[in-house]
Amino acid sequence: MSGQRDFSNRRNFLKNSIAITAGVGATLTAKTSLAQNTKAEFLEVDPWTKTQGSTFINPPYGLPSRYEKSVVRVLPSPAPTFLTGSRTPLQNLHGIITPNGLVFERHHAGVPDINPDHHQLVIHGMVDKPLILTMEDIVRFPSESRIYFLECSGNSAAELKKASGKTAQEIHGLLSCCEWTGVRLSTIFQESGIQPGALWALAEGADGAAMTRSIPMKKMMDDALLVYAQNGEMLRAEQGYPLRLFLPGYEGNMSIKWLRRIKLGAEPWQTREETSAYTDLRADGKALQFTFAMDVKSVITQPSGMMKLKSKGFYEISGIAWSGKGGIKKVEVSTNGGKSWDVATLQEPVLDKSLVRFRYPWIWDGTPGVLMSRAFDSNGDIQPSMEALLKDKSPNTFYHNNAIQPWRVAASGEITNGR
Ligand SMILES: Nc1nc2c(c(=O)[nH]1)N[C@H]1C(S)=C(S)[C@@H](COP(=O)(O)O)O[C@H]1N2
Ligand SMILES: [Mo]
């Protein structure tokens, strides 16, 4: 596969690829592409230009264009024996923000219907002054908005054994990135006080699963947020309405939704979600507990599985990178299955513990190849190959798959999971 990178002549973009305006994987339905813009009918007035359009606030809460109906959350296919959650259509998204209606959902006992007027948060245990806070109390505290990714520690887990999914959504879609708004836990603890020796906090959800996890107080005092809004509006019910804990960079299950209780104590509580689940099985038979931060990872989303390159020529390879241990320093792209790597451009803003968009210009010469990306973070970590990742793990390992995703490009232009 050619790695030709001479883009000095901008006309190359169109000259080499007639179908460029249709985009990867789209069908060319327009009368003509820009590159063929020589015929007079291109300037014919379309019917929608000759009539009045639909009126304002129709509907009052806006929806995507009706031509975007296929861009939805899906359950993994084939349907799993246990429910893992709906997945974000990563291959259809642009930039770094996940729109609220497409944020993946993971819940262990369904989505509760909580009236915010009846919701309370209890802060107790090793505090000077226990608190019962209503939603009205919580929104009165000083607040902040931050862009962070959220990834389920079981994301991409099925791939650890074999190629499981076909699309970026099916394989890696337990991942989202929103602007989250709320109150720092450190602000709340100023109100309650913290007793000496309180090194851990227990967070509990109000759903049927009463999801419960122990969290180091160091994290709670560092950047943990009590979140009530996402992407500018109040939380969606499935994201924890009216209140969730948010632990930037940590595995998704610790960001307890429908948060009802925080208890401070001296030691972790050894709950079900940190003993029987969410531990990492190693090759030596032992299980690692409390592996909180998500590892450095990236995936190419355009082009990706189930898309088709229509013809030879220019394509912008684009994808997302993230690390729960800090910032993305660099992303490299390979178009030849890892034989050689080249540095991709990181799109601003490049924020810590957020998705980062990377882009890489590529001219496909029509031969088969394998597209890969690998990310480097501020912690000094490099995204591993699947082989390297599995080296120290038990064959039954399940969580924290951050291995490189290969996408196989066939001579026909068809792109498939190269695991
Ligand atoms: N109360 C409660 N909190 C929860 C869960 C749950 O089932 N109940 N699921 C957890 C898991 S496993 C993940 S990955 C994230 C998913 O958050 P999201 O549904 O907003 O994407 O929420 C976490 N918080
Ligand atoms: Mo999760």
Side-chain angles (χ1 to χ4, degrees):
M1 224 179 214
S2 125
Q4 187 192 337
R5 293 197 69 203
D6 179 16
F7 300 102
S8 49
N9 179 355
R10 283 189 62 88
R11 283 183 304 158
N12 274 345
F13 294 143
L14 301 183
K15 211 161 52 185
N16 292 334
S17 172
I18 286 172
I20 187 118
T21 53
V24 174
T27 337
L28 188 60
T29 50
K31 286 184 203 117
T32 172
S33 77
L34 276 178
Q36 297 169 303
N37 181 9
T38 51
K39 293 194 190 122
E41 72 258 32
F42 185 80
L43 291 176
E44 262 177 23
V45 179
D46 287 307
W48 48 82
T49 311
K50 294 180 187 162
T51 51
Q52 174 78 23
S54 69
T55 187
F56 294 111
I57 61 166
N58 179 27
Y61 193 101
L63 293 169
S65 160
R66 65 194 179 98
Y67 301 104
E68 300 296 324
K69 279 216 168 74
S70 63
V71 181
V72 289
R73 293 181 287 208
V74 296
L75 293 169
S77 77
T81 44
F82 60 99
L83 205 62
T84 53
S86 75
R87 287 154 195 249
T88 296
L90 300 174
Q91 69 278 8
N92 301 116
L93 298 184
H94 307 272
I96 58 171
I97 297 293
T98 313
N100 285 340
L102 297 177
V103 172
F104 83 92
E105 318 153 76
R106 177 72 182 102
H107 33 74
H108 295 69
V111 178
D113 178 13
I114 300 179
N115 181 337
D117 297 339
H118 298 165
H119 190 70
Q120 293 182 326
L121 173 68
V122 174
I123 314 269
H124 68 140
M126 291 173 70
V127 293
D128 300 326
K129 188 176 77 170
L131 301 174
I132 298 177
L133 301 171
T134 62
M135 286 309 296
E136 236 171 78
D137 297 331
I138 289 165
V139 297
R140 284 188 58 191
F141 281 94
S143 58
E144 61 180 51
S145 300
R146 301 260 174 192
I147 297 173
Y148 291 125
F149 80 82
L150 185 72
E151 185 183 20
C152 175
S153 55
N155 195 23
S156 332
E159 292 286 300
L160 289 165
K161 286 220 167 18
K162 59 177 195 324
S164 62
K166 292 191 172 80
T167 64
Q169 174 172 27
E170 286 170 10
I171 304 168
H172 305 293
L174 296 175
L175 171 71
S176 66
C177 185
C178 296
E179 183 202 63
W180 303 98
T181 299
V183 184
R184 287 242 188 182
L185 263 303
S186 57
T187 306
I188 303 281
F189 290 131
Q190 277 178 32
E191 203 72 10
S192 68
I194 302 170
Q195 290 183 359
L199 296 178
W200 288 83
L202 181 78
E204 182 186 74
D207 54 331
M211 185 103 181
T212 313
R213 288 248 12 204
S214 309
I215 299 140
M217 276 304 281
K218 197 157 170 282
K219 180 67 174 176
M220 292 296 250
M221 297 302 285
D222 178 15
D223 56 3
L225 282 174
L226 261 187
V227 161
Y228 47 78
Q230 76 187 94
N231 292 334
E233 60 183 0
M234 292 303 282
L235 282 173
R236 291 290 168 95
E238 57 269 39
Q239 261 69 60
Y241 185 87
L243 190 69
R244 85 179 299 168
L245 180 62
F246 198 97
L247 302 177
Y250 277 21
E251 55 182 23
N253 68 77
M254 303 180 70
S255 285
I256 301 292
K257 302 190 278 190
W258 314 292
L259 184 71
R260 70 185 289 269
R261 186 162 77 97
I262 295 176
K263 183 180 187 180
L264 303 200
E267 281 167 18
W269 281 260
Q270 307 294 353
T271 71
R272 175 183 175 277
E273 312 298 348
E274 53 207 27
T275 49
S276 83
Y278 301 117
T279 59
D280 293 305
L281 303 175
R282 300 193 310 190
D284 65 5
K286 292 190 176 153
L288 266 182
Q289 209 186 5
F290 301 134
T291 46
F292 300 131
M294 296 304 289
D295 292 309
V296 63
K297 189 166 172 181
S298 70
V299 60
I300 292 172
T301 53
Q302 284 117 14
S304 60
M306 298 305 280
M307 292 183 184
K308 187 173 176 186
L309 307 178
K310 303 272 178 209
S311 62
K312 294 189 224 182
F314 175 78
Y315 292 91
E316 182 181 74
I317 293 176
S318 163
I320 42 180
W322 64 101
S323 170
K325 294 183 177 164
I328 290 297
K329 284 288 168 213
K330 185 172 71 167
V331 176
E332 290 180 344
V333 168
S334 174
T335 58
N336 54 19
K339 283 194 206 79
S340 64
W341 295 89
D342 211 351
V343 178
T345 305
L346 302 186
Q347 163 84 66
E348 297 287 343
V350 179
L351 303 168
D352 281 9
K353 300 168 191 174
S354 161
L355 293 190
V356 173
R357 174 65 56 178
F358 65 86
R359 305 179 194 281
Y360 179 81
W362 174 52
I363 293 173
W364 183 46
D365 62 9
T367 61
V370 177
L371 307 179
M372 295 174 159
S373 64
R374 68 176 179 201
F376 299 65
D377 74 4
S378 57
N379 195 46
D381 295 335
I382 306 174
Q383 186 180 2
S385 66
M386 182 62 83
E387 202 185 15
L389 178 88
L390 291 176
K391 206 160 63 72
D392 306 319
K393 309 242 170 165
S394 147
N396 291 323
T397 186
F398 182 77
Y399 302 107
H400 298 280
N401 172 13
N402 70 324
I404 291 169
Q405 169 68 53
W407 297 119
R408 197 171 296 286
V409 182
S412 64
E414 273 162 68
I415 297 176
T416 50
N417 185 358
R419 160 82 169 99

